[in-house]
Amino acid sequence: MQLYSLTGVEPDRQKILVKGGQLKDDTQMSALGLVEGQILMMMGTAGELPKAPLQPVKFMEDMTDTEMAQALAIPAGLTNLGNTCYMNATLQCLKAVPELKTALDAHPAGMGQSDPRKNLAASLRQLYDQLAAAGDGVPPLVFWQFLRQVFPKFGAQDRQHGGFMQQDAEECWGELLTTLDHVLRKDDASVVEQFMSGTMVTTLSTEEAPEEPATVREQPFRKLDCMIDKSVNYVAQGIARGLEQVIEKRSDSLGRNADYKAVSRVARLPQYLTVAFNRFSWKAAEAVEAKIVKSVKYPLDLDITEFCTEELQAQMRPARQRVRDIDDRLAAERKRNSGKRPATEEAVEPLPPFVLDDALKADVGCNPSGVYELVAVVTHVGRSANSGHYMGWVRKEKGVGGPEPKSAVETRNWWYKFDDDDVSMVTDDEILKLCGGGDWHTAYVTLYRAKQLD
């Protein structure tokens, strides 16, 4: 190959002569008695010599940080402006919703408007554009200025240590979506309402007055809460606890307060589902907000079907079966590509046809199957929501820069770890370790995306 690079004669055309004989593939070079400066003769027909690269080769050690990030397709991070990691982690994770960026781009307003909420949305659009073009960390100064203007609590000062106080990332997440829901409205609908909001049906009844008719109410929601106590080990258990609670309210039939059982079920699932872990509780005796560090495992694929109304479950049945068929097909392809497939096994059959429910088909931004895949996580390390450190973890889309799994059907995913402006890459294994149980980073807000049906 070295001779080929010098002469253009391909290896299978080369005949190398030494001391009147031709070298073979199994010739022992040590037995030829070669000396320094000895001349060997090569015979062969040269093809076209390799052309010099159009762009000069640049080694990684000679690259700037920007060039390095662009070569590896690692996205830019956000500079910590002083306890703003809660905001940085939130913004990086919300980038996993491309529909938000599309809606921001379609919002023509600038940053000189009388409504500060519109200025906040415009500054977010500008910030996302800067992140897309940058390789180094981007300081979110303008966005942070408008965030404090719209929500003064995020500008609270730390009187003891100076500077700005740490804030709650989940609170920042919720307030930002509320603002975008108001600003990014078109034809009485917003991208947040369509793609990130669902509908919950709650039934209230009391055993203290069995004859009293149950009260049913319907309301929108933007997150499911994972309630954590000693009995909760998995996120589905925590969600179930959050959907069935006992509350005290006045009973008109009894003329007094009574305990009511509130049972909630999902009547519409959004394409992007936020699950918030209830990791902080107020300890009145100590006047502190304590963190629940208990391990609560969460899956990469989450099925919400059991928490939906019976009507929605029936509507989602064809799409849910479609997701199963896709998973089965991918599993068969992995088995075949692993080399362990029996010789008698038949080739993978095409996916069977399916008919999507008409109501779900017409509902833009819904999840028609009830099955999700994890795409972003906000984590927290520390003992209080208003202290410690937040980071964002965002799943890398396959085929978009950076290192790739071994094959297109490989189960492993790569993730970007956003520690403010320090960005690195990890795999699924590291994401699943963020379940809690110690003083390492713990999942606080998770973002799931509806699994595709093709």
Side-chain angles (χ1 to χ4, degrees):
M1 291 304 297
Q2 176 68 11
L3 292 174
Y4 173 46
S5 68
L6 295 172
T7 65
V9 179
E10 295 181 4
D12 58 353
R13 294 183 179 181
Q14 297 174 8
K15 291 184 179 181
I16 304 174
L17 305 178
V18 58
K19 295 184 179 180
Q22 181 177 339
L23 290 183
K24 303 296 184 181
D25 289 340
D26 58 354
T27 298
Q28 294 294 326
M29 299 291 288
S30 61
L32 297 179
L34 300 177
V35 298
E36 182 72 20
Q38 183 160 341
I39 296 177
L40 308 182
M41 177 180 292
M42 186 194 75
M43 301 175 61
T45 303
E48 183 180 2
L49 289 174
K51 296 180 180 179
L54 297 177
Q55 297 292 335
V57 177
K58 196 164 191 177
F59 296 98
M60 294 182 68
E61 55 266 27
D62 299 325
M63 293 182 179
T64 65
D65 290 341
T66 299
E67 292 171 332
M68 179 92 68
Q70 291 174 345
L72 297 177
I74 295 179
L78 290 166
T79 305
N80 193 322
L81 303 176
N83 281 334
T84 60
C85 57
Y86 71 94
M87 178 186 73
N88 292 348
T90 297
L91 295 180
Q92 295 287 12
C93 287
L94 288 178
K95 281 177 58 183
V97 185
E99 290 81 2
L100 273 180
K101 181 63 168 63
T102 301
L104 286 168
D105 289 340
H107 182 63
M111 287 179 282
Q113 303 178 78
S114 57
D115 188 342
R117 293 173 296 183
K118 293 183 179 180
N119 294 332
L120 181 65
S123 67
L124 179 59
R125 180 189 64 225
Q126 181 190 67
L127 180 59
Y128 279 164
D129 287 340
Q130 291 174 329
L131 286 171
D136 300 326
V138 176
L141 289 166
V142 177
F143 177 84
W144 189 42
Q145 174 184 345
F146 285 121
L147 181 70
R148 287 178 290 150
Q149 185 177 350
V150 177
F151 304 106
K153 56 189 171 185
F154 292 133
Q157 298 280 332
D158 188 337
R159 297 179 180 178
Q160 182 177 358
H161 301 97
F164 291 96
M165 295 179 61
Q166 178 70 282
Q167 300 292 334
D168 189 332
E170 185 199 347
E171 191 174 3
C172 179
W173 182 290
E175 297 286 26
L176 185 55
L177 288 184
T178 298
T179 299
L180 296 177
D181 180 50
H182 172 80
V183 174
L184 302 179
R185 284 202 160 266
K186 184 179 181 181
D187 300 329
D188 291 331
S190 78
V191 62
V192 174
E193 181 181 348
Q194 285 184 307
F195 291 92
M196 302 187 73
S197 302
T199 303
M200 190 76 71
V201 175
T202 302
T203 303
L204 290 170
S205 60
T206 177
E207 295 180 352
E208 300 178 36
E211 71 286 352
E212 183 178 306
T215 302
V216 180
R217 65 187 184 193
E218 184 176 294
Q219 56 189 8
F221 73 93
R222 292 203 192 110
K223 65 172 182 172
L224 292 180
D225 288 314
C226 175
M227 310 300 290
I228 303 176
D229 60 22
K230 293 180 179 180
S231 66
V232 173
N233 297 305
Y234 299 92
V235 66
Q237 296 173 326
I239 293 174
R241 291 190 67 83
L243 295 179
E244 296 188 9
Q245 300 183 24
V246 176
I247 62 174
E248 182 180 343
K249 65 182 288 289
R250 180 174 176 79
S251 168
D252 292 334
S253 63
L254 297 175
R256 60 175 174 81
N257 285 354
D259 289 337
Y260 282 78
K261 185 177 182 180
V263 179
S264 299
R265 290 294 178 264
V266 178
R268 181 197 188 259
L269 281 171
Q271 184 169 336
Y272 295 90
L273 177 67
T274 300
V275 178
F277 290 72
N278 184 23
R279 289 219 169 259
F280 299 98
S281 61
W282 179 256
K283 288 189 175 182
E286 303 174 23
V288 295
E289 190 176 41
K291 183 176 181 180
I292 305 172
V293 297
K294 185 180 188 298
S295 172
V296 179
K297 299 184 185 302
Y298 54 90
L300 297 176
D301 291 345
L302 180 64
D303 191 342
I304 298 293
T305 307
E306 65 176 301
F307 305 120
C308 298
T309 62
E310 293 183 359
E311 179 183 2
L312 182 57
Q313 289 185 29
Q315 291 176 317
M316 295 191 304
R317 196 166 289 122
R320 190 162 180 255
Q321 182 60 48
R322 177 72 167 190
V323 172
R324 290 176 177 171
D325 292 339
I326 292 174
D327 289 342
D328 291 344
R329 177 170 183 173
L330 291 175
E333 291 183 9
R334 284 194 294 271
K335 184 177 181 180
R336 179 179 58 190
N337 293 342
S338 68
K340 299 179 181 179
R341 176 189 179 210
T344 58
E345 187 175 341
E346 297 180 0
V348 178
E349 295 293 334
L351 290 174
F354 84 109
V355 178
L356 186 63
D357 180 86
D358 289 339
L360 297 179
K361 188 175 182 180
D363 188 355
V364 178
C366 79
N367 180 354
S369 71
V371 185
Y372 289 90
E373 57 187 356
L374 186 66
V375 293
V377 183
V378 174
T379 60
H380 176 266
V381 61
R383 292 290 175 169
S384 168
N386 296 321
S387 64
H389 184 57
Y390 291 94
M391 290 199 302
W393 313 67
V394 181
R395 201 181 87 173
K396 173 187 174 294
E397 295 301 320
K398 291 183 178 179
V400 182
E404 283 293 327
K406 295 179 180 179
S407 69
V409 295
E410 174 70 52
T411 57
R412 180 179 62 176
N413 292 298
W414 287 92
W415 292 71
Y416 296 116
K417 172 185 171 184
F418 293 97
D419 185 0
D420 290 324
D421 54 1
D422 183 10
V423 186
S424 56
M425 300 190 72
V426 299
T427 57
D428 287 334
D429 294 340
E430 296 300 317
I431 299 301
L432 294 176
K433 293 178 182 177
L434 304 172
C435 58
D439 288 328
W440 175 235
H441 272 271
T442 304
Y444 186 35
V445 180
T446 54
L447 181 65
Y448 284 88
R449 178 180 62 196
K451 297 199 75 171
Q452 295 187 4
L453 302 180
D454 53 19

